């Protein structure tokens, strides 16, 4: 359970450090998991869905993390 918490924190920090930039699936996987999950996009999607449930008021209408289909994810800059 602690490992999972660290992974979510790492994922959120990576997105926050790159607000406004689209991060590719492979970039995120490499930065957060290294070579362990290098091309495991389906697992990344599960992690992103879970992260959205934790931080979004309405995960189906995200205000913080935007999906770029086939590319990756972007944390939206909020005013």
């Amino acid at each position: 359970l602690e490992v999972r918490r660290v992974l979510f924190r790492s994922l959120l920090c990576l997105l926050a450090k790159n607000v406004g930039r689209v991060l590719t699936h492979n970039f995120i996987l490499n930065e957060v998991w290294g070579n362990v999950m290098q091309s495991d996009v389906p697992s990344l999607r599960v992690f992103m869905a879970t992260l959205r449930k934790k931080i979004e008021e309405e995960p189906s209408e995200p205000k913080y993390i935007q999906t770029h289909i086939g590319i990756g994810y972007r944390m939206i800059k909020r005013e």
Side-chain angles (χ1 to χ4, degrees), residues 57-70:
E57 284 183 38
E58 184 59 50
S60 63
E61 297 178 23
K63 295 180 182 176
Y64 300 107
I65 300 173
Q66 188 176 58
T67 299
H68 289 263
I69 298 171

Side-chain angles (χ1 to χ4, degrees), residues 1-78:
L1 188 63
E2 182 62 30
V3 171
R4 190 175 174 130
R5 197 172 298 142
V6 170
L7 290 173
F8 281 119
R9 189 176 313 131
S10 297
L11 184 54
L12 188 57
C13 286
L14 177 66
L15 291 166
K17 288 178 185 175
N18 292 280
V19 169
R21 290 182 53 208
V22 176
L23 304 180
T24 65
H25 297 124
N26 287 335
F27 178 79
I28 295 169
L29 288 166
N30 191 50
E31 290 293 312
V32 176
W33 286 274
N35 291 330
V36 176
M37 289 180 44
Q38 196 165 20
S39 61
D40 193 356
V41 175
S43 291
L44 174 60
R45 288 185 180 128
V46 171
F47 266 88
M48 293 304 291
T50 305
L51 181 60
R52 277 195 177 118
K53 287 177 186 175
K54 293 176 181 288
I55 68 169
E56 299 280 2
E57 284 183 38
E58 184 59 50
S60 63
E61 297 178 23
K63 295 180 182 176
Y64 300 107
I65 300 173
Q66 188 176 58
T67 299
H68 289 263
I69 298 171
I71 300 170
Y73 299 93
R74 173 174 67 142
M75 180 164 271
I76 301 167
K77 186 176 183 177
R78 302 291 295 171

